[in-house]
Amino acid sequence: MSAKVNDDLLTERRKCEFNVEELTNYLDGGAQATQNRRKLEDKVLSTKGLFDEVPEEYLSHKEKYENAVRKAVVYYKAMKEAEDPNQTEQERANATYRSLLHAAVFKDNSPFSLHLAMFIPAILGQADEEQKKYWMKRASKMEIIGTYAQTELGHGTFIRGLETTATYDPKTEEFVLHSPTLTAYKWWPGSLAHTANYCVVMAHLYINGKSCGIQPFIVQFRDEETHQPLPGIKLGEIGAKLGFNTVNNGFLGFDQHRIPRNRMLMKNAQVLKDGTFKRSPNSKLTYGTMVYVRVVIVNGMANQLARAVTIAVRYSAVRRQSELKPDAGEPQILDYVTQQHKLFIGIASSHAFTLTAKWLTRMYQKVTADLEKGNLDELPELHAIACCLKAVTTTDTSVLVERSRTSCGGHGYMLSSNLPQIYGLVTAACTYEGENTVLMLQTARSLVKALEQAQSGKRLSPTMSYLSEKVSSRLKWDNSIDGIVKGFRRVAYGKVESAMRSMRKYVRSGLGPEDAWNMSSVQLVAASEYTSISEADIRQLQDTYEDLLGKIRPNAVGLVDAFDFRDQILNSTLGAYDGRVYERLMEEALKSPLNAEPVNQSFHKYLKPFMQGKL
Ligand SMILES: CCCCC/C=C\C/C=C\C/C=C\C/C=C\C/C=C\CCCCC(=O)SCCNC(=O)CCNC(=O)[C@H](O)C(C)(C)COP(=O)(O)OP(=O)(O)OC[C@H]1O[C@@H](n2cnc3c(N)ncnc32)[C@H](O)[C@@H]1OP(=O)(O)O
Ligand SMILES: Cc1cc2nc3c(=O)[nH]c(=O)nc-3n(C[C@H](O)[C@H](O)[C@H](O)COP(=O)(O)OP(=O)(O)OC[C@H]3O[C@@H](n4cnc5c(N)ncnc54)[C@H](O)[C@@H]3O)c2cc1C
């Protein structure tokens, strides 16, 4: 018999003014997609051995990793077996696009993440046809496990500064990989420490003493039978982190490690047997894997944010606290407008990020198809947009997930709420795949170029067209959606123009262009990430906003129910569908090993002698 649902949640669900299932179907891309997703989740989550007897919070660092590898093997097999052969690739992608299935199994991410998220995409994007055929067969069947090794102890952002060298030896038709310094050690790649046995290494290619830029190499670093590190390879784990503690991030040093010529991934640039270097049509095509992951991250943020606000909104409907009116009893904390302000923006932002992710994915697919035909025209715009959206969605999601956590009071600070772990996952994305400030400056670089083109009368791409709108500074806008968008475009234009004016002022004062850029970089980041509007309209918008909060209030639980996260995926004492928060908090607390005995051994060993003055 299923547990009784909390009365307040029952009331909330009765109050909801729209069809929740309809919204779920819309988010999934149709009723069939919802059915496919639920069927996949049912199948996979019914697999034995996927869940932890002891909550992983109570395991050691080493036990957490070993347990995660155990689950990763079971999970990957279950996902493979659950695949419906009659489904198209697109239907399969839709079924997983919104599913956070892996989150039901890994609170802190999987040791296989990088194999799926970067190693396979790097092969698909950087290998020539023959290489792709061979390596995709092995990688997709998990005969090998890979990662993406680009960042070094001394360099993450500045890829052109990477120190790992790959020197071509025409006599043996091999590359010699070497880490000349400690700072050249690859440092951070997920799965690198003890899980993977191959990686795509980004290294500085030298032929006959001449630099040929950063190129991708597929490198085996552990024996496939014994898993021992190969000769000339130094390996290890980088240590405990804020989150991602089951991703097995590691370090790797090369000592004159030789690999065959065909291990350089040669889709874009090639090295012939005699050492002839055939340059890529665009050196930045080597950075293509990162563009892909930045696009994926936007959708990932939408889903993780939806998970956090589901937990916080359901908890806020169950939690009663304080006194809103004398003698009226303790209200649901969701009735405090401050609580609505904290949480409803998160619901809206998740939907906005989902729609943005869909748009960006379509743009990525179009540009990638163009690249296959040799048309690189829209690559710079894709790069600029992907940088901006990855940075904005990860920053906003981190802020909104943390706000979801703090809106749940002390219980939000419990690991059993899962909000701290979700924060650990999303805040990492502000750093990985391009640190956010650096990416915003990449976007700013494109905006400044676009404004210069607009001022010289050139046509701009659709996403930059607001820079060529000759709008008067006295533009009045009303509070219609169109009016607000017009206002934002006007202010965004002003931010770019102001940053550019600032740079020109510094150059006129005698600074070089690089110093002028650096001095204006705070404005440049602002031009890329946010806009604000004038005082007069704030008051009017504020009234509209507070009115909107009231309209959303009766539908808040319905809106998060529509994300359709099952309890195993939420993995939270505060967010379960039945709202039995207090019972779940106690159930989880009793799982602490410290509760196995009423008096802990430290009393007899330390406390008692201490309190009796004997220590
Ligand atoms: C699969 C399960 C995953 C589960 C995850 C669970 C939870 C997470 C929750 C949500 C996330 C969801 C999914 C996330 C998926 C995976 C996450 C898992 C693991 C984490 C993986 C992280 C891996 C990494 O971090 S890999 C390393 C990433 N490193 C970087 O990004 C480095 C950043 N630096 C750079 O990109 C460059 O150095 C630079 C800053 C761009 C500068 O480069 P530089 O050469 O110096 O260029 P310059 O500034 O001089 O500009 C020159 C010119 O080039 C153009 N340019 C630059 N880059 C590009 C590009 N990429 N494409 C096209 N063009 C580019 C630039 O615009 C300039 O052009 P122009 O001269 O102005 O014309
Ligand atoms: C959880 C996690 C997982 C990761 N997984 C991988 C992986 O699998 N594979 C991999 O290769 N890497 C991985 N990374 C590494 C990640 O890609 C780098 O940390 C990231 O690129 C930032 O580089 P960095 O750490 O060297 O920081 P730095 O580049 O040293 O940045 C430090 C500070 O300097 C500032 N800064 C740097 N350059 C500029 C500039 N030009 N203008 C203005 N400010 C600047 C930055 O804004 C930042 O504030 C991972 C990182 C994390 C946190």
Side-chain angles (χ1 to χ4, degrees), residues 297 301 389-399 426 429-430 436:
I297 286 170
M301 290 299 113
L389 292 177
K390 180 269 182 186
V392 167
T393 55
T394 54
T395 300
D396 286 7
T397 298
S398 299
V399 168
V426 299
C430 294
N436 282 355

Side-chain angles (χ1 to χ4, degrees), residues 211-502:
S211 161
C212 299
I214 302 293
Q215 303 298 338
F217 300 83
I218 189 160
V219 182
Q220 178 182 0
F221 58 88
R222 281 185 183 272
D223 181 286
E224 288 194 28
E225 283 310 308
T226 65
H227 211 51
Q228 285 294 335
L230 296 179
I233 296 280
K234 296 180 199 79
L235 273 177
E237 199 237 354
I238 66 171
K241 305 170 290 281
L242 185 158
F244 266 56
N245 281 299
T246 46
V247 172
N248 196 229
N249 300 85
F251 64 77
L252 183 154
F254 294 106
D255 181 7
Q256 307 298 341
H257 181 72
R258 286 180 170 267
I259 58 174
R261 182 176 64 92
N262 68 4
R263 294 295 172 90
M264 176 174 143
L265 297 178
M266 298 204 201
K267 175 177 182 179
N268 298 311
Q270 296 82 36
V271 174
L272 307 185
K273 286 182 180 175
D274 64 358
T276 306
F277 179 61
K278 298 185 78 175
R279 195 167 289 285
S280 162
N282 176 327
S283 66
K284 300 310 175 194
L285 289 170
T286 312
Y287 295 1
T289 309
M290 293 180 281
V291 178
Y292 165 74
V293 178
R294 290 166 191 158
V295 171
V296 170
I297 286 170
V298 176
N299 180 58
M301 290 299 113
N303 292 338
Q304 296 292 348
L305 177 55
R307 196 156 65 117
V309 289
T310 298
I311 294 167
V313 166
R314 285 181 178 165
Y315 176 69
S316 300
V318 171
R319 181 72 166 180
R320 288 180 172 273
Q321 196 68 205
S322 308
E323 203 175 61
L324 197 54
K325 294 179 197 117
D327 310 322
E330 293 193 85
Q332 293 165 282
I333 57 175
L334 199 52
D335 286 336
Y336 293 111
V337 175
T338 49
Q339 192 79 356
Q340 295 166 20
H341 171 63
K342 290 175 196 172
L343 298 179
F344 294 175
I345 292 177
I347 300 174
S349 299
S350 172
H351 288 301
F353 296 167
T354 295
L355 294 170
T356 305
K358 287 187 169 136
W359 173 84
L360 182 60
T361 302
R362 284 194 297 273
M363 181 184 191
Y364 175 82
Q365 288 165 343
K366 183 204 176 292
V367 173
T368 306
D370 288 351
L371 293 179
E372 291 303 310
K373 299 173 211 154
N375 172 4
L376 283 65
D377 296 351
E378 291 183 27
L379 179 60
E381 184 181 22
L382 172 65
H383 166 58
I385 295 282
C387 283
C388 173
L389 292 177
K390 180 269 182 186
V392 167
T393 55
T394 54
T395 300
D396 286 7
T397 298
S398 299
V399 168
L400 291 166
V401 168
E402 174 62 356
R403 193 178 297 167
S404 297
R405 182 188 71 74
T406 54
S407 72
C408 295
H411 301 328
Y413 193 69
M414 295 295 295
L415 290 182
S416 70
S417 76
N418 204 16
L419 288 167
Q421 290 89 325
I422 295 173
Y423 176 73
L425 285 179
V426 299
T427 194
C430 294
T431 304
Y432 67 58
E433 222 54 72
E435 194 280 327
N436 282 355
T437 304
V438 167
L439 297 188
M440 295 313 289
L441 288 169
Q442 282 293 301
T443 304
R445 185 177 168 130
S446 299
L447 290 171
V448 167
K449 285 173 72 171
L451 184 54
E452 284 165 346
Q453 287 164 357
Q455 288 172 345
S456 55
K458 288 200 184 117
R459 270 175 61 81
L460 299 182
S461 66
T463 56
M464 305 277 184
S465 59
Y466 69 93
L467 293 172
S468 51
E469 284 164 6
K470 292 270 175 291
V471 280
S472 81
S473 57
R474 286 178 304 290
L475 171 88
K476 286 311 292 166
W477 54 76
D478 56 32
N479 287 326
S480 67
I481 299 293
D482 186 47
I484 292 170
V485 169
K486 253 197 206 115
F488 278 158
R489 288 168 77 97
R490 174 71 194 86
V491 179
Y493 173 91
K495 291 272 177 191
V496 181
E497 197 191 33
S498 158
M500 198 151 93
R501 225 179 310 114
S502 169

